[in-house]
Amino acid sequence: MSAPQSYYVPVDAGEEEFTEKRSHFLGHVRRVETEAEARAFLDEMRKKYYDARHNCWCYVLHEGGVVRYGDDGEPQGTAGQPMLNVFQREGVENVVCVVTRYFGGVLLGAGGLTRAYAKSAKDALDAAGKARMRLWSAVTVDCPYPMLERLKLLAAAHGGTVEGTDFGAAVSVRILLPQENAAGFDAALTELSAGTMTARREGERFLPGPRE
């Protein structure tokens, strides 16, 4: 079976705002898993900013390759599509973005609108951060107490993260490792412990990595 496709997702909720020729733009980014979640967030923003001239939006879902956007009264092609282009260029999926515009009385023109909506989406994405979805190997290592800190350092050196620890006669340490680094970790663990510690495989998971 082939490995799942790699792509990026937002890390946190992201919000940014700026003013362009007296028009005020507020960009919001959220991570979502379904179209219903994306639509619910869009409805939430429409209600919150009910007094704004425009609430333009887009979302991209990995499952099913769903891509949607809307200009909400702006000239066609000047809002939703430029916002969508930001996420496609960055490789970000499972994301919804809403950019709210309070009109300031000065027309920006098609080019000005396109740049403003793209900037607002990009600023909100930068605030949220992105992480790459990847395949991780879950392992458990039974570790003597005096070796615990060295084991944590070894996991970090191989791009891993300690998911949890259970304390008993020894410490049972649950570690997530990038799949491609698991074999190197095994070899380094054998060397570190002179063969007294081994990593038990507990399966694989497709999860986001650290913020990039």
Side-chain angles (χ1 to χ4, degrees), residues 86-106:
V86 169
F87 299 100
Q88 292 179 326
R89 191 165 55 243
E90 297 279 337
V92 177
E93 302 182 21
N94 287 0
V95 61
V96 59
C97 178
V98 179
V99 174
T100 299
R101 180 191 181 196
Y102 285 91
F103 182 55
V106 179

Side-chain angles (χ1 to χ4, degrees), residues 143 145 165-172:
C143 172
Y145 281 82
T165 50
D166 297 314
F167 298 98
V171 189
S172 182

Side-chain angles (χ1 to χ4, degrees), residues 25-46:
F25 292 85
L26 299 92
H28 293 81
V29 162
R30 295 289 188 279
R31 179 179 171 186
V32 291
E33 301 294 332
T34 66
E35 194 158 10
E37 288 179 13
R39 287 285 178 180
F41 181 68
L42 175 54
D43 289 343
E44 179 189 331
M45 292 295 99
R46 281 172 170 160

Side-chain angles (χ1 to χ4, degrees), residues 117-132:
Y117 278 103
K119 170 179 167 52
S120 194
K122 180 65 164 65
D123 287 352
L125 175 60
D126 288 347
K130 66 179 187 178
R132 185 159 70 94

Side-chain angles (χ1 to χ4, degrees), residues 14 22 38 40 42 54-56 58-59 70-72 86 109 113 123 138 145 154 167 170 174 176 191 195 199 209:
R22 300 210 298 266
L42 175 54
H54 307 282
N55 285 294
C56 304
C58 69
Y59 57 84
D71 294 316
D72 192 31
V86 169
L113 286 173
D123 287 352
Y145 281 82
L154 188 70
F167 298 98
R174 300 187 303 281
L176 289 174
E191 183 177 344

